[in-house]
Amino acid sequence: MSLFDWFADRRKGQFVGKVTQESEESDGLWEKCPECGQVVYRKDLIDNCSVCSNCGHHNRIDSQERIRLITDPNTFKPINNHLTPVDPLGFKDRRAYADRLRESQASTGLKDGVITGTCKVNSIPMALAVMDFRFMGGSMGSVVGEKITRLIEYSTKEKLPLLIVCASGGARMQEGMLSLMQMAKISGALERHRDAQLLYMPLLTHPTTGGVTASFAMLGDLILAEPKALIGFAGRRVIEQTLREKLPDNFQTAEYLQDHGFVDTIVPRTELKETLAKILRLHKTQEVKLETNA
Protein backbone atom coordinates (compact mmCIF):
# COMPACT_ATOMS: atom_id res chain seq x y z
CA MET A 1 0.00 0.00 0.00
CA SER A 2 1.35 3.42 -0.95
CA LEU A 3 1.62 6.30 1.52
CA PHE A 4 -1.17 8.18 -0.29
CA ASP A 5 -3.51 5.15 -0.07
CA TRP A 6 -2.73 4.81 3.63
CA PHE A 7 -3.71 8.42 4.31
CA ALA A 8 -6.85 8.02 2.19
CA ASP A 9 -7.91 4.98 4.23
CA ARG A 10 -7.26 6.86 7.48
CA ARG A 11 -9.49 9.72 6.38
CA LYS A 12 -12.45 7.56 5.38
CA GLY A 13 -13.59 7.06 8.93
CA GLN A 14 -12.86 10.57 10.17
CA PHE A 15 -15.63 13.08 10.89
CA VAL A 16 -15.06 16.15 8.80
CA GLY A 17 -17.20 18.58 10.85
CA LYS A 18 -19.04 21.69 9.72
CA VAL A 19 -18.35 22.70 6.15
CA THR A 20 -18.12 26.47 5.95
CA GLN A 21 -17.03 26.81 2.32
CA GLU A 22 -20.02 27.63 0.19
CA SER A 23 -20.53 26.05 -3.21
CA GLU A 24 -19.06 28.00 -6.09
CA GLU A 25 -22.21 28.03 -8.21
CA SER A 26 -25.93 27.56 -7.86
CA ASP A 27 -28.39 26.60 -10.58
CA GLY A 28 -31.46 27.82 -8.69
CA LEU A 29 -33.10 31.19 -8.13
CA TRP A 30 -32.45 31.18 -4.39
CA GLU A 31 -29.35 31.02 -2.19
CA LYS A 32 -29.11 29.98 1.44
CA CYS A 33 -26.58 31.90 3.49
CA PRO A 34 -24.05 29.40 4.94
CA GLU A 35 -23.61 31.64 8.01
CA CYS A 36 -27.14 32.55 9.16
CA GLY A 37 -29.34 30.29 7.01
CA GLN A 38 -31.26 33.18 5.46
CA VAL A 39 -32.75 32.33 2.06
CA VAL A 40 -32.14 35.14 -0.43
CA TYR A 41 -33.20 35.70 -4.02
CA ARG A 42 -30.02 35.08 -6.01
CA LYS A 43 -30.31 38.24 -8.12
CA ASP A 44 -30.67 40.36 -4.96
CA LEU A 45 -27.59 38.66 -3.50
CA ILE A 46 -25.54 39.43 -6.62
CA ASP A 47 -26.80 43.03 -6.65
CA ASN A 48 -25.52 43.32 -3.06
CA CYS A 49 -22.01 42.22 -4.10
CA SER A 50 -22.73 38.62 -2.95
CA VAL A 51 -22.95 39.84 0.66
CA CYS A 52 -25.79 38.52 2.84
CA SER A 53 -28.09 41.43 3.71
CA ASN A 54 -29.09 39.72 6.96
CA CYS A 55 -25.75 38.89 8.61
CA GLY A 56 -23.13 40.48 6.31
CA HIS A 57 -21.52 37.16 5.34
CA HIS A 58 -19.24 37.63 2.32
CA ASN A 59 -19.80 34.78 -0.13
CA ARG A 60 -16.83 33.78 -2.22
CA ILE A 61 -16.76 35.31 -5.71
CA ASP A 62 -14.60 34.58 -8.74
CA SER A 63 -12.00 36.87 -10.30
CA GLN A 64 -14.28 38.14 -13.08
CA GLU A 65 -16.96 39.20 -10.59
CA ARG A 66 -14.32 40.84 -8.42
CA ILE A 67 -13.04 42.86 -11.37
CA ARG A 68 -16.59 43.93 -12.22
CA LEU A 69 -17.18 45.19 -8.68
CA ILE A 70 -13.90 47.12 -8.41
CA THR A 71 -13.41 48.70 -11.83
CA ASP A 72 -15.30 51.20 -13.95
CA PRO A 73 -17.25 49.47 -16.76
CA ASN A 74 -15.15 48.42 -19.78
CA THR A 75 -11.92 49.88 -18.39
CA PHE A 76 -10.11 46.68 -17.37
CA LYS A 77 -7.42 45.71 -19.87
CA PRO A 78 -5.66 42.38 -19.16
CA ILE A 79 -1.92 42.09 -19.69
CA ASN A 80 0.36 39.04 -19.91
CA ASN A 81 -2.74 36.90 -20.46
CA HIS A 82 -0.78 34.50 -22.68
CA LEU A 83 1.38 33.00 -19.91
CA THR A 84 0.59 29.33 -19.31
CA PRO A 85 1.93 26.99 -16.59
CA VAL A 86 4.04 23.93 -17.34
CA ASP A 87 5.07 20.90 -15.30
CA PRO A 88 8.84 21.44 -14.83
CA LEU A 89 9.24 18.68 -12.22
CA GLY A 90 6.98 16.06 -13.82
CA PHE A 91 5.21 16.01 -10.45
CA LYS A 92 2.72 13.28 -9.62
CA ASP A 93 0.94 12.36 -6.39
CA ARG A 94 -2.39 10.54 -6.69
CA ARG A 95 -2.77 12.36 -10.01
CA ALA A 96 -0.35 14.04 -12.37
CA TYR A 97 0.13 17.78 -11.96
CA ALA A 98 -0.43 18.23 -15.71
CA ASP A 99 -3.87 16.63 -15.34
CA ARG A 100 -4.74 18.92 -12.44
CA LEU A 101 -3.77 21.94 -14.52
CA ARG A 102 -5.92 20.87 -17.45
CA GLU A 103 -8.88 20.23 -15.15
CA SER A 104 -8.59 23.64 -13.47
CA GLN A 105 -8.22 25.41 -16.80
CA ALA A 106 -11.32 23.66 -18.17
CA SER A 107 -13.48 24.37 -15.11
CA THR A 108 -12.48 28.03 -14.62
CA GLY A 109 -11.69 29.24 -18.13
CA LEU A 110 -8.41 30.65 -16.76
CA LYS A 111 -4.84 29.76 -17.71
CA ASP A 112 -3.67 30.09 -14.10
CA GLY A 113 -4.74 31.41 -10.71
CA VAL A 114 -4.43 35.18 -11.27
CA ILE A 115 -5.68 37.82 -13.70
CA THR A 116 -3.58 40.98 -14.11
CA GLY A 117 -4.18 44.21 -15.95
CA THR A 118 -4.89 47.92 -15.76
CA CYS A 119 -8.19 49.62 -15.01
CA LYS A 120 -9.86 52.76 -13.72
CA VAL A 121 -11.61 53.22 -10.38
CA ASN A 122 -13.91 56.23 -10.50
CA SER A 123 -11.82 57.42 -13.49
CA ILE A 124 -8.50 57.04 -11.59
CA PRO A 125 -5.96 54.71 -13.33
CA MET A 126 -4.74 51.71 -11.33
CA ALA A 127 -2.91 48.41 -11.86
CA LEU A 128 -4.86 45.39 -10.64
CA ALA A 129 -4.14 41.72 -9.94
CA VAL A 130 -6.93 39.39 -8.81
CA MET A 131 -6.21 35.87 -7.56
CA ASP A 132 -8.86 33.21 -8.11
CA PHE A 133 -9.28 30.53 -5.44
CA ARG A 134 -11.10 28.23 -7.88
CA PHE A 135 -7.82 27.53 -9.70
CA MET A 136 -6.02 24.96 -7.52
CA GLY A 137 -6.89 26.86 -4.35
CA GLY A 138 -5.36 30.07 -5.68
CA SER A 139 -1.94 28.51 -5.17
CA MET A 140 1.09 30.54 -6.22
CA GLY A 141 3.03 28.80 -8.96
CA SER A 142 5.61 30.19 -11.38
CA VAL A 143 3.05 31.77 -13.70
CA VAL A 144 1.18 33.47 -10.84
CA GLY A 145 4.46 34.88 -9.55
CA GLU A 146 5.61 35.96 -13.01
CA LYS A 147 2.34 37.68 -13.88
CA ILE A 148 2.23 39.59 -10.60
CA THR A 149 5.91 40.57 -10.91
CA ARG A 150 5.42 41.84 -14.46
CA LEU A 151 2.37 43.82 -13.36
CA ILE A 152 4.35 45.44 -10.54
CA GLU A 153 7.18 46.33 -12.93
CA TYR A 154 4.68 47.76 -15.42
CA SER A 155 2.96 49.83 -12.72
CA THR A 156 6.36 51.13 -11.59
CA LYS A 157 7.28 52.12 -15.13
CA GLU A 158 3.91 53.80 -15.76
CA LYS A 159 3.75 55.28 -12.22
CA LEU A 160 0.48 53.57 -11.35
CA PRO A 161 -0.92 52.68 -7.92
CA LEU A 162 -1.33 48.95 -7.45
CA LEU A 163 -3.98 46.71 -5.87
CA ILE A 164 -3.52 42.94 -5.47
CA VAL A 165 -6.60 40.98 -4.39
CA CYS A 166 -5.25 37.99 -2.47
CA ALA A 167 -7.09 34.67 -2.22
CA SER A 168 -4.74 31.74 -1.85
CA GLY A 169 -3.82 28.58 0.01
CA GLY A 170 -0.14 29.48 -0.39
CA ALA A 171 2.70 28.24 -2.57
CA ARG A 172 1.98 25.53 -5.16
CA MET A 173 3.61 22.36 -3.86
CA GLN A 174 3.66 20.71 -7.31
CA GLU A 175 6.31 23.23 -8.43
CA GLY A 176 8.52 22.88 -5.37
CA MET A 177 11.29 25.44 -4.94
CA LEU A 178 10.26 27.20 -8.17
CA SER A 179 7.06 28.22 -6.41
CA LEU A 180 8.85 29.43 -3.28
CA MET A 181 11.14 31.60 -5.42
CA GLN A 182 8.13 33.70 -6.41
CA MET A 183 7.90 35.11 -2.88
CA ALA A 184 11.31 36.78 -3.18
CA LYS A 185 10.80 37.82 -6.81
CA ILE A 186 7.50 39.61 -6.09
CA SER A 187 8.86 41.18 -2.90
CA GLY A 188 11.86 42.58 -4.78
CA ALA A 189 9.61 44.12 -7.44
CA LEU A 190 7.44 45.67 -4.72
CA GLU A 191 10.49 47.26 -3.11
CA ARG A 192 11.34 48.96 -6.40
CA HIS A 193 7.70 50.08 -6.67
CA ARG A 194 7.99 51.58 -3.18
CA ASP A 195 11.30 53.28 -4.02
CA ALA A 196 9.39 55.08 -6.79
CA GLN A 197 7.03 56.40 -4.05
CA LEU A 198 4.03 54.62 -5.54
CA LEU A 199 1.06 53.22 -3.62
CA TYR A 200 0.61 49.46 -3.14
CA MET A 201 -2.47 47.99 -1.45
CA PRO A 202 -3.14 44.28 -0.89
CA LEU A 203 -6.76 43.28 -0.27
CA LEU A 204 -6.88 40.13 1.86
CA THR A 205 -9.93 37.98 1.15
CA HIS A 206 -11.05 34.59 2.43
CA PRO A 207 -8.70 32.74 2.58
CA THR A 208 -5.23 34.31 2.39
CA THR A 209 -2.67 31.85 3.77
CA GLY A 210 0.77 30.28 3.39
CA GLY A 211 3.50 31.80 1.25
CA VAL A 212 1.23 34.56 -0.06
CA THR A 213 0.68 35.85 3.48
CA ALA A 214 4.41 35.47 4.15
CA SER A 215 5.28 37.74 1.22
CA PHE A 216 3.35 40.28 -0.83
CA ALA A 217 0.07 40.08 1.11
CA MET A 218 1.73 41.77 4.10
CA LEU A 219 3.99 44.25 2.29
CA GLY A 220 1.40 46.90 1.47
CA ASP A 221 1.53 50.59 2.28
CA LEU A 222 -2.10 50.14 3.32
CA ILE A 223 -3.33 46.61 4.05
CA LEU A 224 -7.05 46.09 3.46
CA ALA A 225 -9.15 43.05 4.34
CA GLU A 226 -12.70 41.80 3.94
CA PRO A 227 -14.74 41.09 7.09
CA LYS A 228 -14.08 37.72 8.77
CA ALA A 229 -11.54 36.68 6.13
CA LEU A 230 -9.20 33.85 7.17
CA ILE A 231 -5.66 35.23 7.13
CA GLY A 232 -2.62 33.34 8.34
CA PHE A 233 0.51 31.37 7.51
CA ALA A 234 0.35 27.93 9.15
CA GLY A 235 -2.88 26.16 10.02
CA ARG A 236 -4.57 26.60 13.38
CA ARG A 237 -4.00 22.99 14.45
CA VAL A 238 -0.27 23.15 13.63
CA ILE A 239 0.14 26.33 15.70
CA GLU A 240 -1.79 24.91 18.66
CA GLN A 241 0.32 21.74 18.63
CA THR A 242 3.52 23.79 18.44
CA LEU A 243 2.57 26.23 21.22
CA ARG A 244 0.72 23.58 23.26
CA GLU A 245 -2.06 26.01 24.09
CA LYS A 246 -5.57 26.85 22.91
CA LEU A 247 -5.90 29.78 20.52
CA PRO A 248 -8.74 32.34 20.62
CA ASP A 249 -11.86 31.51 18.59
CA ASN A 250 -11.34 34.50 16.29
CA PHE A 251 -7.63 33.75 15.75
CA GLN A 252 -6.46 34.37 12.15
CA THR A 253 -9.54 36.40 11.25
CA ALA A 254 -9.30 39.86 9.69
CA GLU A 255 -10.72 41.38 12.90
CA TYR A 256 -8.09 39.66 15.09
CA LEU A 257 -5.28 40.82 12.80
CA GLN A 258 -6.59 44.37 12.78
CA ASP A 259 -6.67 44.41 16.59
CA HIS A 260 -3.03 43.26 16.61
CA GLY A 261 -1.77 45.71 13.98
CA PHE A 262 -1.34 43.42 10.97
CA VAL A 263 -4.31 44.83 9.01
CA ASP A 264 -4.92 48.56 8.61
CA THR A 265 -8.63 48.55 7.84
CA ILE A 266 -11.49 46.14 7.18
CA VAL A 267 -13.63 47.16 4.23
CA PRO A 268 -17.02 45.55 3.48
CA ARG A 269 -17.27 44.53 -0.16
CA THR A 270 -20.26 46.82 -0.70
CA GLU A 271 -18.06 49.81 0.21
CA LEU A 272 -14.84 48.67 -1.47
CA LYS A 273 -14.94 50.64 -4.70
CA GLU A 274 -15.74 53.96 -3.01
CA THR A 275 -13.08 53.33 -0.36
CA LEU A 276 -10.48 52.59 -3.03
CA ALA A 277 -11.46 55.74 -4.93
CA LYS A 278 -11.01 57.88 -1.80
CA ILE A 279 -7.58 56.37 -1.09
CA LEU A 280 -6.48 56.83 -4.71
CA ARG A 281 -7.64 60.47 -4.74
CA LEU A 282 -5.74 61.19 -1.51
CA HIS A 283 -2.61 59.56 -2.88
CA LYS A 284 -2.92 61.45 -6.16
CA THR A 285 -3.27 64.74 -4.29
CA GLN A 286 -0.16 63.93 -2.25
CA GLU A 287 1.78 63.13 -5.44
CA VAL A 288 0.86 66.51 -6.91
CA LYS A 289 2.03 68.28 -3.74
CA LEU A 290 5.36 66.44 -3.80
CA GLU A 291 5.91 67.32 -7.47
CA THR A 292 5.02 70.96 -6.80
CA ASN A 293 7.44 71.20 -3.87
CA ALA A 294 10.19 69.55 -5.92
Side-chain angles (χ1 to χ4, degrees), residues 42-92:
R42 192 162 188 262
K43 184 178 183 302
D44 291 341
L45 182 65
I46 293 172
D47 289 343
N48 198 42
C49 304
S50 295
V51 176
C52 177
S53 57
N54 184 55
C55 68
H57 173 73
H58 284 51
N59 293 278
R60 185 173 293 153
I61 58 177
D62 61 32
S63 51
Q64 295 292 348
E65 179 67 8
R66 181 80 63 180
I67 291 169
R68 185 185 70 81
L69 294 176
I70 291 175
T71 66
D72 295 346
N74 303 316
T75 62
F76 182 77
K77 297 179 180 178
I79 60 176
N80 297 311
N81 217 22
H82 62 285
L83 296 180
T84 305
V86 294
D87 183 12
L89 305 180
F91 190 93
K92 183 177 181 180

Side-chain angles (χ1 to χ4, degrees), residues 28 36 46 51 64 68 135 149 153 183 195 210 215 225 274 288:
C36 68
I46 293 172
V51 176
Q64 295 292 348
R68 185 185 70 81
F135 198 103
T149 301
E153 292 173 343
M183 297 168 61
D195 288 342
S215 55
E274 286 304 315
V288 171

Side-chain angles (χ1 to χ4, degrees), residues 59-282:
N59 293 278
R60 185 173 293 153
I61 58 177
D62 61 32
S63 51
Q64 295 292 348
E65 179 67 8
R66 181 80 63 180
I67 291 169
R68 185 185 70 81
L69 294 176
I70 291 175
T71 66
D72 295 346
N74 303 316
T75 62
F76 182 77
K77 297 179 180 178
I79 60 176
N80 297 311
N81 217 22
H82 62 285
L83 296 180
T84 305
V86 294
D87 183 12
L89 305 180
F91 190 93
K92 183 177 181 180
D93 44 71
R94 293 186 68 86
R95 294 174 55 208
Y97 176 41
D99 293 338
R100 294 185 186 274
L101 286 174
R102 282 192 290 269
E103 181 182 300
S104 293
Q105 289 169 343
S107 63
T108 63
L110 304 174
K111 291 184 178 178
D112 212 311
V114 68
I115 295 178
T116 59
T118 59
C119 65
K120 290 185 179 180
V121 180
N122 285 11
S123 301
I124 304 172
M126 182 182 76
L128 175 65
V130 181
M131 304 185 75
D132 198 317
F133 194 79
R134 298 175 303 159
F135 198 103
M136 296 189 68
S139 54
M140 180 177 59
S142 299
V143 168
V144 171
E146 182 66 18
K147 289 183 71 172
I148 292 176
T149 301
R150 291 190 187 186
L151 179 71
I152 298 167
E153 292 173 343
Y154 179 84
S155 62
T156 304
K157 178 183 175 182
E158 299 297 326
K159 299 188 181 303
L160 292 173
L162 169 68
L163 173 70
I164 300 180
V165 181
C166 305
S168 177
R172 188 172 298 174
M173 57 169 280
Q174 290 88 349
E175 294 187 18
M177 185 61 71
L178 296 174
S179 174
L180 296 178
M181 287 169 57
Q182 309 310 312
M183 297 168 61
K185 183 168 72 175
I186 295 172
S187 299
L190 283 174
E191 183 61 25
R192 293 188 290 274
H193 188 266
R194 178 174 297 177
D195 288 342
Q197 298 184 335
L198 298 169
L199 175 66
Y200 164 52
M201 297 175 289
L203 172 63
L204 314 184
T205 70
H206 180 81
T208 299
T209 58
V212 170
T213 306
S215 55
F216 61 89
M218 289 295 178
L219 294 177
D221 302 300
L222 187 62
I223 300 177
L224 315 176
E226 285 192 336
K228 298 183 179 178
L230 171 65
I231 304 165
F233 177 63
R236 181 189 186 95
R237 184 177 62 181
V238 172
I239 297 173
E240 286 185 334
Q241 289 176 346
T242 302
L243 298 179
R244 293 185 173 85
E245 61 181 64
K246 184 73 175 175
L247 297 171
D249 291 337
N250 67 339
F251 181 70
Q252 292 186 327
T253 63
E255 290 75 13
Y256 183 92
L257 267 67
Q258 184 184 38
D259 290 342
H260 290 77
F262 290 95
V263 167
D264 293 304
T265 185
I266 296 173
V267 185
R269 193 181 295 159
T270 52
E271 302 172 13
L272 178 60
K273 185 173 181 180
E274 286 304 315
T275 301
L276 288 174
K278 289 178 182 177
I279 295 170
L280 292 172
R281 280 196 297 269
L282 286 170

